[in-house]
Every structure is written in C-alpha cells, then in structure tokens.
Amino acid sequence: MNLPLRDITESRHMPEVKVRVWPLTGGIHPEENKRQSTSVPIKSVPMPDKLILPLSQHAGSPAEPIVAVGDRVLKGQMIARATGFVSVPVHAPTSGTVSAISSEAIPHPSGMHDECITLIPDGKDQWCQLQPINDYKSVEPSTLVELIRQSGIAGMGGAGFPAAVKLSPRSPIHTLILNGTECEPYITADDMLMRERADSIVTGAEILQHLLTSERCLIGIEDNKPEAIEALKKAVAQSSNGHQIKVVVFPTKYPSGGEKQLIQILTGLEVPSGKLPSDLGIAVQNVGTAVAVCDAVQHGKPLISRITTMTGEALSKPGNLEVLLGTPARHLLSAAGINDRQLDALIMGGPMMGFTLNGQDVPVIKTSNCLIAGTRGEFPPAMPAQACIRCGMCAEACPSSLLPQQLYWHAKSENHEQLKHHNLFDCIECGACSYVCPSSIPLVQYYRASKGEIRAQEARHAKAERSRVRYEHRQTRLEREQAEKEAKRKANAERAARLKAEKAASSNKESSAVPDPVQAAIERAKAKKVAASTTTNKPAKTTLSADQKELRIQLSLASAQLKKTRRALTQAQEKGEGDIDKLSADVSMLEAQVAKLQKEFETAAVSEPSAIEQPSAIRQQPRAEKNLDNEAAKKLKIESAMAKAALKKAERALATALEEGSSETEALRDAVEEYRQKADSLTKELVDANTGKPAKSSADDKKLKVEQAMAKAALKKAEREMTKAQELGSDDTLSLQDKIDECRKKLEQLESGKPSVADNATGATSSSYPVKTETSDDLKKLKIENAMARAALKKAQRALDNAEGDTQALEAALTKAQTKAAEAENALAAAS
Amino acid sequence: MTLVRQTSPHARSPNSTQQIMKWVLLAAVPGLAMQTVFFGWGTLINLVWCILIAVGSEALVLKIRQRPISFYLTDGSAIVTAVLLALALPPLSPWWLTLIGISFAIIIGKQLYGGLGNNPFNPAMLGYVLLLISFPQEMTQWLPPVGAAGHTAVKSFSEALFTIFPLFGHPINIDAISMATPLDIVRENTSLTMKELWSENPAFQYFAGRGWLWINLAYLLGGLFLLYKRVFSWHAPMGMLAALLVMSTLFWGGAGSGSHGSPLFHLFSGATMLGAFFIITDPVSSATSNKGRLIFGAGTGILVYVIRTWGGYPDGVAFATLLMNMAAPMIDYYTQPRTYGHKKPNKGLPEQH
C-alpha cells in the first residue's frame, strides 16, 4: 500500500531532493468552494465597538482574569493569566477599558455562555512595552517555550491546543511538520496566510526547529493551493536554514489535514492508537501557529489577532480578514457585506467539522479560522435519515479504516462492548462517513453520543469500584473491631470472675480456720447474702461501669481513627503523594491517645469493684421508689429494644443499598423513617416517664434528654446526608456511614444510661453529671470545634462529590477532615 | 431570524438510496431486454406483475406497522426485489406462483425482520427458494430460447398474458413447449460427450447455450456500469466469478461424457452474472468489509458450482446466496479492517467482561 503517489521535485535550493508522499486512507472530495474567498488579499477590519474575550479560547483550563472592571489596558497587555500547564493567557487586542467580566455567549457547539472579559477600545490602539528577541538562537529553548506560552499561543488550526505544551515533548522530536493542508472546504485562511506571509511561516519554522532541535521540517500543502506552494518554496529558498525545510505537496483530499492523516501522508507512519505524534518523534503545528510564534519571538507581540475567512453565499464581499480576537461576528459579517435576509446558517469553522452558531454576537477566538454565512440553498436542512443498507460507502470514505456502518448499528443498540471492539475511539469525527451516506444518517452524531455515553459509564464503573473496595475494607474493619471488642469483654469478665473467686477463696480461708458448724451456718447464710448481693450487682459487674463504658467507646473510636489514619498513611506512602508528614504525625498522636485510653480503661477495670460499690449501695436505698418506677423502666427498656431492632433493620437496608449501588435508597429511606418513628415514640415514653418523677432529678433528666435529642438530631442529619449522598450516587457514603455509626453509638450510650436514671428517680445522681456542669464551658467550646470539624468534613465531601476523575488529593483532605472531626468528637466524648 | 442549528458535517454528497436503487434498475435493463428477446413477452408481464405485488405488499405491511408509507416506498428497494425475482422466474410462470413468491419475499423476507436494512437474507432469493422447493415443476418450466426448436410456440403478447393469467383466455400448454436449461442437460448427462450433447440439442449453440450467453453478457454489462458508478465495490462479484472459474476448471473433466461443463459454460450460463452483479451485491444481507465481501463472493461461487454439479437443482445461485447470507455475520466478525494506529485488526467477538 505504501506506493508513492507522486514525487515532488523540490525548489531551486535543493533541486534533486525528492520527497515521497503516501496516500491517505479513505477520504472524500467535497465541493471545495475556496475560490470565493481567495480573489482578494487579506484585509483589516475597522475597530469594533467592543471586544469580547472569552477566558477559554483554547483546549485546556481557562485563563484567570488579572484585571478588574474599569481598568485601562494597553494593546498586548496580558489581561488573564494561564492556570496550569495546559492553559494559555489572554491579551488585550487593543488599548481600552475593561467594561465587564461576565458570562457571554461564546463560540461553542452547544451555544453555551462562559466567562469573558469585555473591552471597550479607546481608539488609540496604544501598544504596551514589547520585548522582541533579536537573536533567538542565543536564547535557551526553555525560555522561548515560556515566551510562547506567555504570548498566549494556542493551535490556530481549529483544535486550539496550547502550542507550548506540544513544544515540551516527552520524547525527542526529529521531524517538525507544519500543517498548511487546509483540507476543509470553504476555508482559505491558511492559504492566504501562506501566500502573503510565507517569510513569517519560514521564520516561525526555524524558531520551532531551534526549540525542538528537530532534524527536518516538512510543510505539507494540498495541491489545490499553487500560489501558496509557490510563495512558500520561494521563502524557503531564501532562508538560511532552507535545506532543513521542505515544502511537500500532495493530492487534495479531505481529511488530509487531520494531524494523524498528515503524518501518514508525509511519513508513511501511523500514530499508534492512544499515543501522541511526539511518541513517533513528530510534532505538528499549524502554519498560523508558526506565524504567531514568529511574531511573539521576533516582535514580542502576543497573539491578539488572526486571519479569519469570511465566506458563504449570504456575503457579498467574501474574503479573508485580519481580525482582532474578541471581535463580534456581527461586526465582521457586516464588514463582509452580509445579507441578513438570505442568512440561514452561520457556521464557525468548515462545513465538515465546524459548528453552527446561535447568533451573531459571539466573538472570534484564537481557533476561529472561518465564518460561513450560508443560505438555505447552500446548506439545505438535513434530510430525514433512511434505513442503513450497509452499502459500505462510509467504510470506503473512513480515513481511520473503521467500519462506520457497523459502529452505527452498535451505537443504535448501545452495544458498548462492540463499539469498543470496533475501535470507536479511533474515530476522528471528520464527518466523511456522514458526507457520503446515501441514507443521510447523521453517523458522526451517533459516534459522538456513544463516546459520551461510554465515557460516562466508565466513570460510573470506576466510582462504583472505588466504593465497593471502600465498603469491603470497612466491613473487615468492623468485623475486626467487633472481634476485638468481644475479646476485651471476655477478658474483663474473666478478670472479674477471678477477683470474685479470690475474694471467695479468702473468705473460705477464714471460714475454714474455724470449723464451727454454727459459724459454718452463719457463713453459709453470709455467702448466700453475698451471692444475692452479687446478683443484684450483676448488671453493673458483667457489663461495665459508666466510666468504663465511656472509656471503652473512646478507646474504640480512637483505635478506629488510628487504623484509618494508618491506612491513609500506607496508601499515601504507596502512591508517594498526599501529606505523609501530617499523616504520620497524626498516627503517632493517635497512638499516644490510644495508649493513654487503654491505660485509663485498664485502671478503671481494676478499680471497678470498689467504684461500683458506692452506687449500688445508693441504689439499694430507694427500693420502694424504684418499684414504683419499675413499670416505666420496663416500658422504656422495651422501647429501647424496639428502637435498636429498627436500627439494625436500617443498618441492614443500608448495607444492601451500599452493595447494590444507590438503587436501594428507597428501602433505606423507609427503614430510616421507621427507625425515626421508633426513636420518637421512645422520646415520648421517656418524657411520660419523667413527668411522673420528682422534680429533683429533672435537671439531670433534662440534660440527658437534651443530649439524647442532640445525638438523635446528629444521627438524623447524618442519615439525611447519607440518603442524599446515595441519591446523588456519591462515593463517600462510607464515610457518612462511619459518621452515622458514631452518632448511633453515642445515642446507644445515652440510652443505656437512661434506665439507671429511671432507677435513680429518687435523686441518686450519676457521678459524671456534676463534672459536666463544671466543664460546660469547655464542653461548649468542644462542641463548637466539633461542629467546625463537621463543617470541614462536609465541605470536603461536597468537594469530593463534585470532583470527577482523580480524587486522591480530595480524599486526603477528606481523611484529614475526618481525623479532625473524630478528634473533636473524642474530645467531646471525653469531656461529656 | 433564527439560524439553523445542526451538527456537522453540514455538507452532504448528493448521493441517495433512491439514486442507488435507480442505478440498479437501470443496470438491469440490458439483461431484461435480452431475456425478453429470447423468451418473449412473458418476462415483461411477469416483471410488471411482480412490481405491483411487491409495492402492494410493502405498502400493506407499512400500514400495519404504522410507518410513513410514501417515505419508505420511495426508497425503491421493493421494486428492486421485485425486478430481481421477476428476472429469476421462468418466463411464463403462472400469476399465483409469482404472487406467492414475491409477497413472501417482501412480507416475510423483509418487512417482518424490520424492513429495509434489517433483513438477514436476500428477499428475492428467499422468495425464489420458497417457490423452488414448493413448486419444483412450475419453477423448471423454462421455454426454449428464440432460435431453438419450439420457440415459435409463444409468439404473441396475448398468448403470453393468458398463459400467465388463465382466467381470461386460453392458456397454452407450457408442458408441451418447455424444455430443460443447458445447466440441467449437462448435469443430467452421463453418456454423451459434450460434442454429442450439443449436436443433439441444437438450441444450445455457442459454449453456454443460445440465449443464455447473451443474457449473461447483458448482465455483465449492467454490472460493470454499477461498478463504474461505485454502487458496490468489485470484491463480491470478483470473488464469486473467480471462485466459480477455479472450481469449474478444477472439476471440468474435459469434453467427455463425465464433463461438468467448461469454465466458460459455467460463467455464462444460468444466473451466474445476474447473481454476481445483482444478487450477492445486495449490501444488506452481504458481508460488510471489503475483505468480508471477497470471502462472501468466493463462498457463493464455490457453493454455486457444488450445487450445480453435485446437487439436486439445476442452478445454485439462490441456495448459495442464502447459505452465505447466514455466514455473513460471522464473516463480519473476522474481517474487520485494521484501524489506523493499530497493529492488528480486531477479530471475533469482543471479550465479555
């Protein structure tokens, strides 16, 4: 297949060098319609009343304004700076005043609005200080690349990729290709530029050669531009570096000007799928970009204007105009003699890949190579699509050797596997298939839609996969924690049993010293009594005292936090990113905290028997009252159990929902609602029970109730957030789940404290309550801190929600926020 | 005023499906003319009758399916199906035979699958095969071509008309005048050398039989016109003719009594050229890629020869086409072209995840 179509004998300078060209795969020959706009030289346009400068005139992240409304700016002054590597700044095309920084209609296929700086020219056209470089060869390439970036140069061919990015390639470049193909019908901007500014193109090529240290430069032109070819050959012959630059002419065929296609035509090489031309050692730049580079380096002028072809049957004076960026289309169309009554379709770009505009108010931007004011006869509305008869004309036209008709069938049936198998993503959307389709099927539109669907689906899958991994990690963590808890509980129970046994043994020793039957009987009675008292004390002994419980919860919280942070740290270390120092500091802090809590807990466990004696003694006193309240307490206990059951149910539903994605949120919501109702009735019962109690305990009760209500509110809030997150399909449901669990734990803790309050209705106060009132100020502070941490957490989660793609940085922030929130909560728990 | 909003490309070639169908019909005219010359008015009457039924049944189904009738009728595909089936039927086939064949082709073969573009089988060949299996006697009643003995039996238009529609007049007895086609005679011959065979059947002068040669040449002409107009690529017809040539050369057997007929006899007899340029080039039921179409054509050519020589039917184009129609999706899976930037073409089904 690699047969040379024709050999081109080079210009006078290198008369014997023959340049081989390879044929384009597929391709079409649409009506060229180029003559209309090449009969007159490039003209300038009168200064418009205002210039609208979109912040995003290029591919990549939009620029950021560095002027304010009302500022006076000079021609060539930077008014918006680049934000990031793939971004370019925007410069003022003339001197004037910034009148607005607002959302305006921009040239975009969707007809959307975007941030623009509006400039009112003052008519003076006053340049800012320019800094031309006289001898670029003595300047470091990296300095020149930075200069090109700061000059706001983005690819002038239509895609608008920042030129500086392409000039900082990953691998060495041996061939620079200047694209003067201009294969789209109607457009003649590059043709006229090559005819009139061939010298600048060659100088630009030399500068680019110097930057890339490439061995050769090929300027590719289709053979339908003889004047441009002649002009460029002349300019090359006069250049000092001319022997490195070759003008290569090849047959006219659409889409020869596609980057990949041009590389194929000029070198016979194919850019591997998913790779870049630089991987082949090739860099492709548009001829217009070369001129912009020349202007930027030799004259110090940033990119503030471009050549735009004005054509179409609705114009009486078609031609090419040198246009200041930001000039509204309306101004240019009237300069080109628009006939508004005939105008039916306004196309920016060519008829094959350009897009229609909603109106005439959009400005010309760095990528606007053509404006076609078409009449109805010129661009008749699309015919209704007929059935695909698989004629295969599309496959013959496809420059990527795809099977468009198969892609069409699979796109219609949304068979994404087959679409990928048929290499949908190698489609360059040139439109050749749609052009030839005898059934008028909008094939390219099907491919665009399918590409969008597949991208969205893959993003969803990646998200679901991340969530699944997180969920599984959480499940194992919970199981592990449960096991640890169980082990601890057993250990404590054993210790208590041992203590009891020791006690019994010592008393036995005493009794065995005096083997008196009467004494023995007394001892037996005593033992019975002791046994009875231990039975009454049993709940306090086998479960734990309030202090211990609290400590244990704190401990488990802290150790959970520690584990989490450790995991984050390992992850960060593995990936070599994130704030490792901060994380390791957190880990050591948490380790210290856990150790401290563990110690405290153990101390509490050891001193437990003596600690509980007092409350139990107090508890025995008001037995009568206790009996009175028995009924209420029982009821409350039942209620509590019910609430717990509901809670479990909600939990189960939640787990299911998590496993199956967000589709089960209905069930979850129901379950949560049910739980909420139970909790409400519980509160009511509690209030009922409390109303019957003496006034003495009401203060404590109130406090307890307030706390309980707060915990419930927090739980509800967390659950609401959860529901919302699941509805939105957010992937941070796990962190929310953690939060819900924490809240729930707190609530349980409060609830477990409640029966004892009911028991102590006569006035026995839990030892922790006075402490609380003393430290209420601290508590307040902690609560505020807690709320703040929660807000931070929420913010991070929201940011995570919004972020697409790589969320590692945000996840790190989230972890940080979670740590903070947990710390605050621990502190709060410790204080209360 | 409101500007038109539409997606690219904004320019479209003047190509249309109707245009393609018109070219196909135009290219069939020489063959039709030759068939009329050699077999009389019956062919033309059949053709008109076929078109009427095809358009009628297409409209009927479209109405039942609640589709815009004129939009779909004007694509011309029903007429093409009708013409192809009419050309394949014996010239004096009774009206009911045509009615069954064409309505089956359009209703079952095409519309029930979802209309144009969705039919896995070539509708005309489906109708033809249905008739061949159900009414073998009627389907083999070919008349002797002009110049052969007995051809004078059907002279006038009215005679042909009343033979096809016996309701209004007196039909002629087809059995009395019909005769076997050269393919039939060669297939059933076991004792005579080719020379003796030809001299016994003076109707079959020239190497492919009187009339049949000219008809095939006319279809070849039409096919070349369609190739020139780029209605289809050369791959499928070339594949079929080359495969038939290779097969008939390999199994020729010389001029003796064991001969299966010369390569030229096979290339220019029966429905070879009609099949190569008008039947297997139907893009809907054929393979998709150029390589696939080459394989599709070659497969048809081989099957045509196998059926003609060792099968139970005198000609095998219809069966071969249907068999290859069945294979087309699989051929498609294994003949994807290599995409730009890929080392190898993708083959088979996509991996399931």
Side-chain angles (χ1 to χ4, degrees):
Chain A
M1 284 298 279
N2 293 342
L3 295 171
L5 267 194
R6 64 180 62 184
D7 292 334
I8 309 298
T9 310
E10 263 297 298
S11 62
R12 284 156 270 175
H13 197 87
M14 299 284 287
E16 293 307 315
V17 174
K18 286 182 177 178
V19 181
R20 191 184 169 191
V21 293
W22 282 259
L24 171 78
T25 314
I28 52 170
H29 294 279
E31 287 271 337
E32 287 181 16
N33 284 307
K34 292 194 185 238
R35 292 262 162 79
Q36 297 96 311
S37 53
T38 52
S39 56
V40 287
I42 300 171
K43 287 187 283 192
S44 56
V45 206
M47 184 69 73
D49 297 335
K50 65 172 177 179
L51 296 170
I52 305 160
L53 295 148
L55 295 173
S56 189
Q57 303 185 28
H58 52 267
S61 44
E64 186 183 35
I66 51 171
V67 289
V69 174
D71 285 3
R72 181 165 189 275
V73 293
L74 295 175
K75 183 174 187 172
Q77 183 186 331
M78 191 189 287
I79 55 174
R81 62 162 175 246
T83 53
F85 183 59
V86 187
S87 181
V88 290
V90 178
H91 300 79
T94 185
S95 60
T97 315
V98 175
S99 73
I101 300 175
S102 55
S103 190
E104 306 286 341
I106 60 157
H108 190 272
S110 69
M112 68 181 209
H113 287 51
D114 200 10
E115 283 298 293
C116 299
I117 297 176
T118 305
L119 185 67
I120 305 294
D122 58 10
K124 291 178 191 152
D125 212 24
Q126 190 182 354
W127 275 99
C128 66
Q129 188 69 38
L130 299 182
Q131 288 167 326
I133 293 171
N134 293 323
D135 181 18
Y136 66 83
K137 283 183 181 162
S138 61
V139 181
E140 274 293 303
S142 60
T143 317
L144 286 176
V145 171
E146 188 53 29
L147 172 75
I148 287 166
R149 183 196 309 282
Q150 294 307 325
S151 298
I153 300 174
M156 311 275 283
F161 197 73
V165 179
K166 276 192 185 176
L167 295 173
S168 326
R170 293 185 288 194
S171 45
I173 300 295
H174 56 71
T175 304
L176 168 69
I177 292 176
L178 285 195
N179 191 347
T181 317
E182 206 164 51
C183 58
E184 275 245 16
Y186 284 92
I187 312 175
T188 56
D190 288 347
D191 187 2
M192 295 308 288
L193 188 77
M194 289 188 282
R195 291 188 202 187
E196 297 191 17
R197 297 190 65 186
D199 293 338
S200 297
I201 293 172
V202 173
T203 310
E206 284 168 2
I207 297 169
L208 292 171
Q209 285 262 81
H210 168 66
L211 284 179
L212 295 164
T213 61
S214 55
E215 294 150 25
R216 57 170 184 166
C217 170
L218 303 174
I219 306 180
I221 313 179
E222 281 185 342
D223 61 6
N224 61 352
K225 304 175 187 67
E227 296 91 341
I229 295 165
E230 194 51 43
L232 266 177
K233 282 189 173 170
K234 216 166 127 191
V236 169
Q238 284 163 1
S239 146
S240 57
N241 268 29
H243 61 283
Q244 284 192 332
I245 304 173
K246 285 174 188 64
V247 177
V248 190
V249 182
F250 48 86
T252 301
K253 203 179 192 186
Y254 178 85
S256 299
E259 189 176 67
K260 290 175 171 181
Q261 280 62 42
L262 186 60
I263 289 171
Q264 185 188 25
I265 291 167
L266 296 184
T267 67
L269 300 171
E270 291 180 10
V271 182
S273 182
K275 294 265 175 79
L276 295 172
S278 63
D279 295 319
L280 290 175
I282 296 170
V284 184
Q285 295 282 2
N286 181 262
V287 286
T289 313
V291 172
V293 167
C294 170
D295 284 347
V297 175
Q298 282 211 318
H299 309 292
K301 289 180 184 172
L303 181 60
I304 54 167
S305 71
R306 68 157 296 133
I307 313 294
T308 300
T309 305
M310 302 298 299
T311 186
E313 281 176 12
L315 297 180
S316 60
K317 291 182 282 178
N320 280 279
L321 301 176
E322 169 122 39
V323 182
L324 291 182
L325 299 179
T327 307
R330 187 182 301 282
H331 185 75
L332 297 173
L333 290 168
S334 58
I338 180 88
N339 181 342
D340 268 315
R341 283 179 53 219
Q342 282 195 313
L343 178 66
D344 187 59
L346 189 56
I347 300 167
M348 188 168 269
M352 296 304 296
M353 292 184 79
F355 51 89
T356 50
L357 297 175
N358 272 344
Q360 299 185 24
D361 294 317
V362 297
V364 160
I365 59 170
K366 291 172 184 176
T367 55
S368 312
N369 48 11
C370 185
L371 266 175
I372 307 174
T375 60
R376 181 156 282 246
E378 200 175 8
F379 297 104
M383 297 279 289
Q386 288 174 288
C388 171
I389 55 168
R390 292 158 46 105
C391 64
M393 287 181 188
C394 46
E396 272 170 53
C398 182
S400 299
S401 300
L402 298 167
L403 289 175
Q405 72 276 46
Q406 296 290 78
L407 287 172
Y408 164 70
W409 287 103
H410 296 314
K412 262 178 99 174
S413 58
E414 294 180 3
N415 190 338
H416 294 171
E417 295 302 322
Q418 277 284 18
L419 282 171
K420 283 186 259 181
H421 191 62
H422 282 80
N423 300 326
L424 173 67
F425 282 90
D426 287 291
C427 168
I428 58 167
E429 297 176 22
C430 67
C433 50
S434 301
Y435 177 84
V436 297
C437 180
S439 292
S440 307
I441 301 168
L443 294 165
V444 179
Q445 191 52 27
Y446 276 99
Y447 309 148
R448 282 195 200 109
S450 294
K451 281 180 182 176
E453 269 171 33
I454 292 174
R455 284 196 192 107
Q457 198 193 46
E458 280 176 354
R460 271 200 305 277
H461 279 168
K463 215 171 180 181
E465 182 60 21
R466 274 205 303 279
S467 304
R468 191 187 61 77
V469 169
R470 276 195 201 176
Y471 175 73
E472 280 169 3
H473 280 182
R474 183 177 170 277
Q475 283 306 103
T476 45
R477 175 171 60 79
L478 287 182
E479 275 162 23
R480 200 173 53 231
E481 276 175 13
Q482 192 58 42
E484 278 168 14
K485 229 175 180 174
E486 193 64 22
K488 262 176 207 160
R489 199 188 60 76
K490 258 186 193 160
N492 286 334
E494 272 168 23
R495 197 180 291 128
R498 204 168 53 235
L499 282 168
K500 205 170 81 184
E502 273 168 22
K503 227 180 184 179
S506 62
S507 60
N508 275 348
K509 236 183 234 167
E510 281 168 27
S511 64
S512 63
V514 192
D516 186 2
V518 180
Q519 191 63 27
I522 292 165
E523 285 300 330
R524 270 202 297 280
K526 257 188 193 171
K528 243 184 200 167
K529 210 173 170 187
V530 167
S533 77
T534 41
T535 319
T536 41
N537 289 341
K538 210 177 178 183
K541 268 191 177 177
T542 48
T543 61
L544 294 163
S545 75
D547 277 357
Q548 266 182 309
K549 244 183 217 158
E550 221 155 87
L551 277 167
R552 201 180 61 186
I553 287 158
Q554 279 176 35
L555 185 59
S556 65
L557 272 172
S559 51
Q561 197 51 48
L562 177 61
K563 262 171 220 151
K564 210 180 205 169
T565 319
R566 267 189 194 142
R567 226 183 8 253
L569 181 61
T570 352
Q571 257 176 21
Q573 278 167 340
E574 270 168 20
K575 288 174 184 163
E577 45 192 86
D579 200 345
I580 297 175
D581 291 344
K582 168 84 175 75
L583 283 170
S584 47
D586 285 351
V587 167
S588 45
M589 195 201 79
L590 283 164
E591 275 168 352
Q593 203 178 345
V594 169
K596 195 179 140 215
L597 284 167
Q598 183 70 38
K599 216 169 118 193
E600 273 176 28
F601 178 74
E602 273 158 20
T603 327
V606 170
S607 60
E608 182 204 342
S610 59
I612 57 145
E613 251 161 41
Q614 214 178 352
S616 72
I618 297 166
R619 206 174 288 152
Q620 277 171 346
Q621 278 182 337
R623 193 158 268 182
E625 278 89 345
K626 192 182 152 193
N627 284 341
L628 284 175
D629 283 325
N630 244 358
E631 203 87 332
K634 232 183 207 167
K635 209 173 179 182
L636 278 166
K637 267 179 198 162
I638 290 162
E639 291 300 324
S640 173
M642 271 172 71
K644 269 175 199 163
L647 192 61
K648 257 182 200 159
K649 200 171 168 187
E651 219 169 40
R652 259 203 309 278
L654 197 58
T656 324
L658 275 166
E659 267 175 313
E660 294 174 10
S662 55
S663 62
E664 290 290 310
T665 42
E666 269 317 306
L668 173 78
R669 221 174 290 142
D670 289 350
V672 168
E673 194 50 47
E674 202 177 323
Y675 166 70
R676 222 172 260 158
Q677 277 167 8
K678 293 267 154 101
D680 285 347
S681 74
L682 181 64
T683 319
K684 211 175 141 202
E685 288 303 315
L686 183 68
V687 170
D688 289 348
N690 285 345
T691 44
K693 279 177 204 164
K696 215 176 167 187
S697 70
S698 67
D700 292 334
D701 264 356
K702 230 185 206 166
K703 208 173 253 171
L704 184 64
K705 269 192 278 177
V706 167
E707 268 195 309
Q708 198 172 2
M710 268 172 66
K712 250 182 218 164
L715 177 61
K716 260 184 199 167
K717 204 168 146 199
E719 276 170 345
R720 256 203 312 279
E721 270 177 37
M722 180 72 172
T723 320
K724 214 169 123 194
Q726 280 178 334
E727 271 168 17
L728 293 170
S730 151
D731 59 358
D732 58 8
T733 43
L734 290 178
S735 64
L736 282 169
Q737 179 61 42
D738 285 348
K739 206 155 125 190
I740 292 176
D741 285 348
E742 274 166 29
C743 291
R744 207 169 272 159
K745 233 179 236 170
K746 209 159 151 192
L747 188 62
E748 268 172 38
Q749 179 191 345
L750 286 164
E751 274 172 350
S752 63
K754 182 185 63 215
S756 72
V757 173
D759 282 356
N760 298 345
T762 43
T765 47
S766 167
S767 58
S768 64
Y769 292 145
V771 182
K772 252 202 218 151
T773 40
E774 277 162 27
T775 59
S776 69
D777 267 5
D778 287 3
L779 188 64
K780 233 184 212 163
K781 209 169 141 195
L782 280 166
K783 269 180 190 161
I784 289 162
E785 267 180 19
N786 187 21
M788 271 169 70
R790 262 178 204 282
L793 178 65
K794 238 187 189 169
K795 203 172 153 194
Q797 278 167 346
R798 241 196 333 265
L800 188 63
D801 280 355
N802 294 337
E804 283 286 341
D806 192 8
T807 55
Q808 273 171 357
L810 281 164
E811 272 171 339
L814 181 63
T815 322
K816 225 154 121 188
Q818 279 171 337
T819 317
K820 224 172 178 180
E823 269 169 32
E825 237 152 8
N826 285 351
L828 183 63
S832 56
Chain B
M1 69 177 283
T2 322
L3 295 172
V4 168
R5 296 279 295 153
Q6 61 181 32
T7 57
S8 65
H10 311 286
R12 283 187 181 278
S13 67
N15 230 343
S16 73
T17 304
Q18 286 98 316
Q19 191 59 51
I20 290 176
M21 298 298 173
K22 274 180 202 160
W23 276 328
V24 172
L25 292 176
L26 190 65
V29 168
L32 177 70
M34 280 297 157
Q35 232 161 296
T36 313
V37 165
F38 284 103
F39 295 110
W41 290 107
T43 310
L44 278 181
I45 297 166
N46 252 342
L47 184 83
V48 174
W49 178 229
C50 260
I51 291 174
L52 284 176
I53 305 165
V55 173
S57 31
E58 176 116 324
L60 178 75
V61 182
L62 286 172
K63 191 169 167 58
I64 296 168
R65 289 177 66 206
Q66 298 177 342
R67 294 292 193 280
I69 293 172
S70 63
F71 178 76
Y72 284 103
L73 272 189
T74 47
D75 65 25
S77 60
I79 297 172
V80 168
T81 302
V83 169
L84 294 180
L85 187 53
L87 294 176
L89 290 177
L92 287 178
S93 304
W95 64 274
W96 54 267
L97 190 78
T98 314
L99 177 70
I100 292 170
I102 196 74
S103 54
F104 180 82
I106 295 288
I107 296 171
I108 312 281
K110 181 175 154 194
Q111 288 292 345
L112 284 196
Y113 283 108
L116 180 63
N118 297 301
N119 46 303
F121 298 105
N122 185 319
M125 289 304 103
L126 213 54
Y128 183 86
V129 164
L130 172 86
L131 296 180
L132 193 58
I133 293 170
S134 314
F135 312 102
Q137 198 199 339
E138 283 81 357
M139 287 300 284
T140 46
Q141 282 172 336
W142 280 89
L143 300 181
V146 170
H151 76 276
T152 48
V154 188
K155 272 192 287 191
S156 69
F157 176 78
S158 61
E159 254 182 331
L161 186 68
F162 292 140
T163 309
I164 293 169
F165 297 95
L167 310 164
F168 316 108
H170 303 286
I172 52 169
N173 186 359
I174 307 177
D175 284 343
I177 57 160
S178 70
M179 60 174 289
T181 62
L183 279 171
D184 241 353
I185 290 168
V186 171
R187 191 169 61 88
E188 281 165 8
N189 170 54
T190 47
S191 54
L192 302 173
T193 64
M194 291 308 280
K195 208 169 183 180
E196 289 165 341
L197 199 65
W198 289 148
S199 57
E200 197 166 277
N201 296 279
F204 304 146
Q205 287 153 12
Y206 316 111
F207 48 84
R210 175 187 284 271
W212 296 103
L213 171 67
W214 288 109
I215 291 165
N216 270 285
L217 284 174
Y219 285 126
L220 175 62
L221 183 73
L224 292 177
F225 166 74
L226 291 179
L227 263 183
Y228 167 74
K229 280 286 175 191
R230 312 190 77 157
V231 168
F232 48 73
S233 66
W234 55 266
H235 300 82
M238 219 42 192
M240 174 173 163
L241 295 179
L244 192 58
L245 182 72
V246 169
M247 289 296 285
S248 53
T249 309
L250 283 177
F251 300 99
W252 186 354
S257 62
S259 173
H260 294 306
S262 72
L264 281 175
F265 170 75
H266 277 285
L267 283 179
F268 292 98
S269 198
T272 305
M273 290 299 170
L274 179 69
F277 290 98
F278 290 85
I279 305 292
I280 67 163
T281 50
D282 164 34
V284 176
S285 54
S286 159
T288 286
S289 62
N290 287 341
K291 198 173 153 192
R293 285 178 179 170
L294 200 62
I295 294 170
F296 183 87
T300 316
I302 292 168
L303 284 173
V304 165
Y305 188 81
V306 168
I307 296 166
R308 276 182 182 179
T309 309
W310 300 293
Y313 292 92
D315 201 352
V317 172
F319 283 110
T321 306
L322 292 186
L323 286 171
M324 289 312 288
N325 283 163
M326 277 190 252
M330 200 189 74
I331 295 173
D332 283 344
Y333 285 141
Y334 287 92
T335 53
Q336 271 194 55
R338 184 188 65 85
T339 307
Y340 178 105
H342 288 255
K343 284 206 176 75
K344 286 184 296 184
N346 289 337
K347 284 206 167 80
L349 283 164
E351 282 166 32
Q352 296 296 319
H353 297 292

